[in-house]
Amino acid sequence: MTTRETAAQRTTPEDITAAVTASFAGAADARLREVMQALVRHLHAFATEVRLTEEEWRAAIATLTATGEITDAHRQEFILWSDALGLSMLVDAMANLRPPGATESTVLGPFYVPGAPRREYGESIAAEPAGTPAWVHGHVRDLDGDPIAGAELDVWQNGADRLYAVQKPEGPEDHLRGRFRSRDDGSYAFLAVRPVPYPIPDDGPVGHMLATTGRHPWRPAHIHMIVRAEGYRTVTTHVFDAASEYLDSDAVFAVKPSLLREIVPRGADDPERPNGVDGEWASLECDFVLVAGDDAAEVSDPGRTA
Ligand SMILES: [Fe+2]
């Protein structure tokens, strides 16, 4: 090639993408190579599709910088991005495909703290008054409908003040959380409170994105559960109040129709009123169906948004 030909040769956007993709060809780890090359291809395709401007690129860098600055041991803004953009749910869906009839998974969420106290059948998880008492009960079964005895239900939820115990360091640590075991017939029960909708933390870059795009930060009312049993795959899920606001616009896209349950209001004079309840209460029935398999029993705490 002559000097004149070289000078006339223009470098195109495609040349840049090809060069960056090729730069990973020598990566010894085949999976890392695949991931990095696909990341570059899609990132470049995205910038090309929207004709990303220099000003927009600078704004994106500033947003990532702000995300890093607001993130600490109690606040994980990067995972909040993942949640608010639906990536957390997508990864969960790919990792936890279950056959029809099995309880579906959904996101772990930011407020799980391992090591909740073990509690007896029917015991309350509320260390102090926290809302309308709700009797949560049902069975843990396998795909054939047979009961699973000794399954662990690891439960946590917010109170009527919208907050989880982990958000109130001054309050009792074991408030609104606990671990229960299913009985020989697979039945379980505990006394919770009626959950209420709550906003995800919206005072940072993710909140700014929600506000400027016309989205809201709210999540519909739900109770979190992790159900584990020896010889079965662990399921991390929520039970949603079927009458809650925001079911059709959950800020983190965690709602699945199979996870909706009716919370039935009950009167003070209802003969089924549980021990320790005065006045109005509610009941929620929910069965869990586990799939046979092996799993590490513990869910790791990813240290998410506080
Ligand atoms: Fe939650």
Side-chain angles (χ1 to χ4, degrees), residues 109-111 156 164 198 219 222 224 238:
F111 306 119
W156 68 106
Y164 288 78
Y198 64 88
R219 301 214 54 215
H222 58 269
H224 293 262
H238 301 5

Side-chain angles (χ1 to χ4, degrees), residues 152-163:
E152 183 181 85
L153 294 97
D154 196 342
V155 177
W156 68 106
Q157 69 160 122
N158 64 346
D161 62 359
R162 299 177 184 162
L163 299 175

Side-chain angles (χ1 to χ4, degrees), residues 205-220:
V206 172
H208 180 70
M209 177 276 289
L210 295 174
T212 51
T213 58
R215 286 177 54 183
H216 67 72
W218 288 87
R219 301 214 54 215

